Amino acid sequence: MASVTYDHVVKRYTADLTVVKDFNVEIKDKEFMVLVGPSGCGKSTALRMLAGLESISEGQIRIGERVVNDVAAKDRDIAMVFQSYALYPHMSVYDNMAFPLQMQHMKKPDIDKRVKNASRILGLDNFLQRKPRALSGGQRQRVALGRAIVRNPKVFLLDEPLSNLDAKLRGQTRIELQKLHRDLETTFIYVTHDQVEAMTMGDRIAIMNAGILQQVGTPGDIYDHPANLFVAGFIGSPTMNFVPATAQNGSAKAAGFEVKLPKSLPAGKKGTLGFRPEAVTDRVTDEGNALQMKVDVVERLGSDQFLYGQVGGDSVTARVDPRMKVDPGDTVKLGLDTRSLHFFDSETELALL
Amino acid sequence: MDFSQLLADVPTLVAVIVGVPAVLAAYIVGGEYVVRLLPDKLRPSVRPWIWVGPALAFVGFFLVYPVFGTAYRSLFDLSGNSFVGLSNYVTQLSGFPSGGSWIAIRNNVFWLVFFTVLVLAFGLLFAVLTDRVSYESPIKSLIFMPMAISFVAIALIWKFMYSYQPPGEPQTGTVNALLGIFHQDPRLWVQDPNVANQALIVAAVWGFVGFAMVILSAALKGIPGDLLEAARVDGAGELTIFRRVIFPLMMPTIVVVGTTLVIFALKAFDVVYVMTNGNYDTDVLANRMYKLLTASQDFGDASAVAIILVAAVIPVLIFNLRQFRAVEARR
């Protein structure tokens, strides 16, 4: 149990190849922190530097108060679950889980107690004598978790642990991981490219892109107040609508409509107006914020209905009442909820609103 | 150079270039034609035999028949005329520990143990040591190089390496020259029965270690990197990782390479033949068989030695094949 601090951390492979740039995050004790971003954004490298599998080019990483830059991986007291699970193929499930404890020279009865305990939590009791190759993907994943749990580590690292599971199992394991985090009361750092995993599991989320940390915050915070265009587009499904617009006194003018802004921006400011699909509904509360949409595609999900279409030449997605009757080709009048409007500066891409 | 003989053979060459494919094509077309004539049900069971038939005929004629022929001959006297039963075997296996074939058998066991262990140990050492260095390829090429040299040449090279001049004379042999640097008297390496076997085995190890290194190195590289990373995070040091993760995962390959080396050790011939011709207590079964056959013209005894050798190799061969299949099945 410990906090983790990334202090101006840089990872550079060659002079022109820097994969993590000035990374600063403080992860609190017992927190579930998710590092999320598109592939190649540096999130795995950031995790591997903490694990001691990659050297740190600049800056400091601290576990608790201890600077670990020059501490070997084996002495950092962290456990890691790999995407491929990395189970030792020649060892039984029991030995796989006992291995880290044997490395600590723990006594046999103590090892036995811990392995039995972990296998009970994970439902692996009946598989202890099997080799990994005789297990299903989900069971292997549990063994990998078990190998981490038995150690009672200071920090628990998970590198895309669910990406090799099928969709149904992934959903189940997501819930189990959250339970596990609650029961173990340990710091979890979880790397994923899947924003759904990030939103559902993280106490806080750190979003990275191109080696640069974009924003850190709670899922709700990041969803409602994205710091920039990248974060706004990365989090949320279907993605946020982006429409080029110009600020005028108290409102924003796009090609096909004009909306009042909750906060006034300097007149003539060019940028991107952002609003989530659920902000565009079939309830028109204010004629001033209405827009006419020519519908191209209708997606009925039962609980929701998404309309994909054009507003003044810009692509817009709307989430409307599933009972609303719409067909492709129709033109419908929709209302825009101005409370969840975002405006991004065209040059800096930062959120001004 | 005289090309006239070559030119005279041109018709033969043409006949071979044209004739061999023609015969093959005729065989395939003809075989397929015969298969077509058969009822539908029989075709799947007959067709494989048509294809595998030529290979079987070759193996049968050049391998199976000679083995049985040799076994048959081993029951006759040196001229091959009168049946003597098992008396050739009795001759070869009597007089323990120094009569008959016993010196050769002892030396083969010696080869089997030391050659195999040394090649494996050095092969593994080089594979592991070169695995993570930037100059891996040139180093490995260098160590593998002797594999490209014929064993007769290797034996000659080492004959020079071991060559002896009386003390006080300039030493042309590398090994004795090195001894001279440390003010030691030169030694007879190849002619001293106390060390001759070891000296021969060292030469063969030098020639073969590249083979073991290349195969073991491939096995080492086949171990996924994240397994080693997982072990590191789990708290294992590099030596522990080697002992608990790398070595067990390489074990099937080590066994396959090891049994291949055992077979080679049992068949050891060229190094012995060139360096000592079996003198100075260095004889091995293969060389003894050759000497009985050529120098003594003793077909019966030579055949008996050959059969003893075959009998020793077969169990290893079967084990090797099984192990190889087990490794393949695990992939």
Side-chain angles (χ1 to χ4, degrees):
Chain A
M1 276 162 278
S3 62
V4 170
T5 312
Y6 284 88
D7 194 355
H8 297 285
V9 171
V10 174
K11 178 68 194 181
R12 195 180 292 118
Y13 285 111
T14 63
D16 332 312
L17 183 63
T18 308
V19 291
V20 175
K21 296 166 191 159
D22 197 29
F23 189 68
N24 290 293
V25 175
E26 200 162 320
I27 298 151
K28 298 188 206 99
D29 186 19
K30 298 176 194 173
E31 189 174 24
F32 198 130
M33 171 64 91
V34 178
L35 292 181
V36 67
S39 54
C41 72
K43 56 190 190 296
S44 280
T45 311
L47 191 77
R48 289 166 57 81
M49 282 193 280
L50 173 58
L53 299 173
E54 300 270 0
S55 62
I56 300 161
S57 308
E58 266 176 47
Q60 257 187 8
I61 295 181
R62 292 190 291 274
I63 299 176
E65 291 305 307
R66 182 184 184 207
V67 177
V68 294
N69 285 38
D70 297 321
V71 178
K74 68 185 178 82
D75 300 321
R76 291 195 187 189
D77 195 16
I78 43 175
M80 184 158 171
V81 177
F82 290 76
Q83 182 177 354
S84 65
Y85 314 143
L87 300 178
Y88 309 121
H90 56 295
M91 296 186 198
S92 66
V93 168
Y94 184 97
D95 288 332
N96 262 284
M97 293 206 271
F99 186 77
L101 302 178
Q102 290 165 354
M103 292 303 110
Q104 295 172 6
H105 304 291
M106 193 180 274
K107 289 204 183 70
K108 269 211 174 120
D110 296 336
I111 292 179
D112 197 59
K113 217 190 304 174
R114 287 220 201 173
V115 172
K116 293 274 164 65
N117 189 35
S119 64
R120 205 184 53 243
I121 293 171
L122 296 167
L124 289 168
D125 292 333
N126 297 326
F127 307 109
L128 285 176
Q129 296 315 317
R130 286 210 199 162
K131 292 278 171 65
R133 102 180 78 101
L135 298 178
S136 71
Q139 288 163 343
R140 285 180 203 179
Q141 211 266 351
R142 283 155 189 279
V143 178
L145 279 175
R147 193 170 63 184
I149 290 173
V150 290
R151 292 179 53 188
N152 229 339
K154 281 202 190 111
V155 188
F156 215 105
L157 309 182
L158 302 108
D159 190 1
E160 309 230 9
L162 305 187
S163 48
N164 288 347
L165 300 179
D166 63 53
K168 192 176 162 214
L169 207 51
R170 204 179 305 159
Q172 283 173 12
T173 316
R174 221 158 61 197
I175 295 161
E176 280 168 24
L177 275 176
Q178 289 171 79
K179 261 193 240 160
L180 199 62
H181 173 244
R182 209 179 49 220
D183 296 344
L184 295 177
E185 298 191 321
T186 306
T187 314
F188 269 49
I189 304 177
Y190 186 105
V191 162
T192 180
H193 64 271
D194 182 352
Q195 53 106 8
V196 178
E197 284 176 21
M199 291 294 285
T200 52
M201 299 169 79
D203 291 332
R204 283 196 301 157
I205 302 175
I207 302 181
M208 292 183 74
N209 186 35
I212 297 167
L213 182 64
Q214 305 289 317
Q215 188 174 3
V216 185
T218 63
D221 205 23
I222 285 180
Y223 191 80
D224 293 335
H225 306 288
N228 58 39
L229 201 60
F230 174 80
V231 174
F234 190 78
I235 297 290
S237 173
T239 52
M240 190 186 272
N241 293 301
F242 293 124
V243 174
T246 312
Q248 283 166 348
N249 42 0
S251 66
K253 191 169 170 42
F257 63 98
E258 187 173 346
V259 285
K260 287 194 208 92
L261 294 174
K263 199 176 95 184
S264 84
L265 293 170
K269 186 88 187 160
K270 284 193 191 305
T272 304
L273 189 66
F275 48 95
R276 298 210 178 269
E278 64 263 31
V280 193
T281 62
D282 46 326
R283 289 185 304 279
V284 184
T285 49
D286 181 350
E287 286 298 325
N289 292 332
L291 38 89
Q292 298 286 329
M293 178 184 189
K294 190 170 176 305
V295 179
D296 294 327
V297 175
V298 179
E299 237 178 42
R300 291 187 188 90
L301 302 177
S303 59
D304 284 309
Q305 180 167 230
F306 290 103
L307 308 179
Y308 299 89
Q310 309 283 325
V311 177
D314 299 316
S315 298
V316 168
T317 308
R319 193 173 104 184
V320 299
D321 192 293
R323 284 159 297 189
M324 185 183 176
K325 284 254 169 284
V326 194
D327 288 310
D330 291 357
T331 300
V332 291
K333 186 173 167 187
L334 301 168
L336 182 57
D337 183 351
T338 54
R339 284 169 304 177
S340 49
L341 278 180
H342 306 276
F343 194 88
F344 302 98
D345 190 310
S346 60
E347 280 154 28
T348 61
E349 297 193 345
L350 293 177
L352 302 175
L353 195 68
Chain B
M1 208 178 146
D2 183 13
F3 285 97
S4 61
Q5 206 174 359
L6 205 63
L7 285 173
D9 273 343
V10 165
T12 319
L13 197 68
V14 171
V16 168
I17 290 172
V18 178
V20 169
V23 168
L24 275 178
Y27 178 80
I28 291 165
V29 172
E32 200 56 26
Y33 180 73
V34 171
V35 169
R36 293 273 163 86
L37 293 179
L38 293 169
D40 281 357
K41 261 191 191 170
L42 279 175
R43 277 183 208 171
S45 53
V46 171
R47 183 174 281 124
W49 293 106
I50 302 267
W51 287 93
V52 100
L56 277 183
F58 273 111
V59 169
F61 188 74
F62 290 110
L63 198 70
V64 179
Y65 166 69
V67 168
F68 283 100
T70 307
Y72 180 73
R73 277 208 143 170
S74 70
L75 305 175
F76 286 81
D77 71 353
L78 70 167
S79 60
N81 292 325
S82 50
F83 183 78
V84 294
L86 291 175
S87 84
N88 286 331
Y89 292 93
V90 172
T91 317
Q92 294 308 320
L93 296 176
S94 63
F96 181 81
S98 57
S101 291
W102 283 108
I103 296 267
I105 290 172
R106 183 203 74 184
N107 287 340
N108 267 117
V109 171
F110 204 72
W111 270 78
L112 188 147
V113 173
F114 287 95
F115 174 76
T116 308
V117 169
L118 286 176
V119 170
L120 272 182
F122 280 103
L124 193 60
L125 188 73
F126 291 139
V128 172
L129 288 184
T130 58
D131 192 45
R132 290 181 217 161
V133 293
S134 54
Y135 43 86
E136 181 184 350
S137 307
I139 285 281
K140 273 164 66 175
S141 307
L142 217 58
I143 296 170
F144 189 72
M145 205 85 86
M147 283 296 289
I149 308 172
S150 111
F151 263 84
V152 173
I154 285 172
L156 281 173
I157 290 169
W158 279 86
K159 236 178 158 171
F160 289 127
M161 296 274 285
Y162 288 132
S163 105
Y164 171 87
Q165 304 296 329
E169 304 273 322
Q171 294 296 328
T172 49
T174 314
V175 179
N176 280 330
L178 278 175
L179 279 184
I181 291 174
F182 297 104
H183 304 290
Q184 302 289 317
D185 280 341
R187 288 194 62 161
L188 282 163
W189 293 101
V190 177
Q191 295 85 351
D192 178 355
N194 292 320
V195 293
N197 269 310
Q198 288 90 318
L200 265 54
I201 289 171
V202 164
V205 167
W206 180 80
F208 231 80
V209 83
F211 161 80
M213 177 197 68
V214 165
I215 293 177
L216 294 174
S217 171
L220 185 60
K221 294 204 186 300
I223 298 173
D226 51 7
L227 272 186
L228 309 182
E229 291 184 339
R232 242 164 257 157
V233 174
D234 279 345
E238 293 300 318
L239 273 178
T240 313
I241 292 176
F242 182 79
R243 203 166 47 82
R244 295 284 309 271
V245 180
I246 296 176
F247 192 73
L249 288 176
M250 288 179 77
M251 204 55 206
T253 313
I254 292 174
V255 170
V256 169
V257 174
T259 45
T260 308
L261 293 173
V262 165
I263 292 170
F264 183 86
L266 289 173
K267 296 194 306 181
F269 171 74
D270 19 29
V271 170
V272 177
Y273 176 74
V274 174
M275 288 178 77
T276 62
N277 194 17
N279 293 314
Y280 321 111
D281 276 358
T282 62
D283 212 0
V284 289
L285 284 172
N287 193 55
R288 182 174 168 80
M289 170 186 79
Y290 181 76
K291 274 197 297 191
L292 284 170
L293 189 67
T294 54
S296 320
Q297 295 278 309
D298 185 344
F299 288 98
D301 275 312
S303 299
V305 173
I307 293 301
I308 291 169
L309 198 51
V310 168
V313 171
I314 282 176
V316 190
L317 208 58
I318 290 170
F319 178 79
N320 197 4
L321 281 176
R322 285 221 184 120
Q323 194 65 27
F324 187 71
R325 269 188 222 127
V327 172
E328 286 295 306
R330 232 176 277 181
R331 279 173 204 277

